[in-house]
């Protein structure tokens, strides 16, 4: 018997709208899968396509904050990365040198 995920192990997404729900239901049916499984599969495939872009964007945020990529990645994954204001960014060490180039 397969182990069911704990309730807090599940990812909950916002509603996707009637048009996308119908597309997903049709796609799941023609692939002989449940809607939940097909939705998960499609999301994973799209994330794999975008992996390089996502990492480039995290690298940008890391450089903007003057922190290593790994630290920024961890902050992003744990939901702890806070937005910085333009004033905060301009007052960060090393930013003055970059503006004079």
């Amino acid at each position: 018997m397969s182990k069911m995920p704990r309730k807090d192990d599940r990812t909950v997404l916002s509603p996707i709208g009637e048009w996308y729900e119908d597309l997903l239901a049709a796609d799941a049916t023609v692939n002989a899968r449940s809607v939940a499984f097909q939705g998960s599969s499609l999301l994973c495939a799209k994330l794999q396509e975008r992996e390089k872009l996502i990492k480039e964007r995290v690298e940008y945020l890391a450089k903007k904050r003057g922190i290593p990529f790994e630290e920024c990645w961890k902050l992003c994954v744990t939901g702890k990365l806070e937005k910085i204001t333009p004033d905060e960014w301009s007052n960060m060490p090393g930013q003055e040198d970059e503006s004079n180039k």
Side-chain angles (χ1 to χ4, degrees), residues 24 28 32-42:
L24 181 57
R33 296 177 174 167
S34 70
V35 170
F37 185 86
Q38 188 64 9
S40 177
S41 178
L42 290 170

Side-chain angles (χ1 to χ4, degrees), residues 3-96:
K3 180 181 170 190
M4 292 295 294
R6 292 188 320 244
K7 186 173 182 170
D8 53 301
D9 286 347
R10 297 179 186 200
T11 300
V12 177
L13 303 174
S14 298
I16 58 175
E18 186 176 357
W19 169 251
Y20 291 109
E21 286 176 4
D22 291 351
L23 285 175
L24 181 57
D27 193 38
T29 299
V30 299
N31 285 292
R33 296 177 174 167
S34 70
V35 170
F37 185 86
Q38 188 64 9
S40 177
S41 178
L42 290 170
L43 179 58
C44 289
K46 189 63 177 178
L47 288 170
Q48 285 176 355
E49 286 177 17
R50 294 180 52 146
E51 181 179 1
K52 182 179 176 189
L53 175 62
I54 293 166
K55 287 183 175 179
E56 287 172 357
R57 294 172 79 183
V58 172
E59 181 66 33
Y60 166 82
L61 295 174
K63 286 181 181 177
K64 184 176 180 182
R65 286 159 175 76
I67 61 175
F69 170 84
E70 294 78 12
E71 181 180 347
C72 193
W73 182 265
K74 184 175 181 179
L75 291 170
C76 288
V77 170
T78 58
K80 295 179 180 177
L81 186 73
E82 294 184 15
K83 186 174 181 177
I84 59 175
T85 67
D87 286 338
E88 289 172 326
W89 189 23
S90 66
N91 292 326
M92 291 177 79
Q95 298 304 320
E96 309 83 23

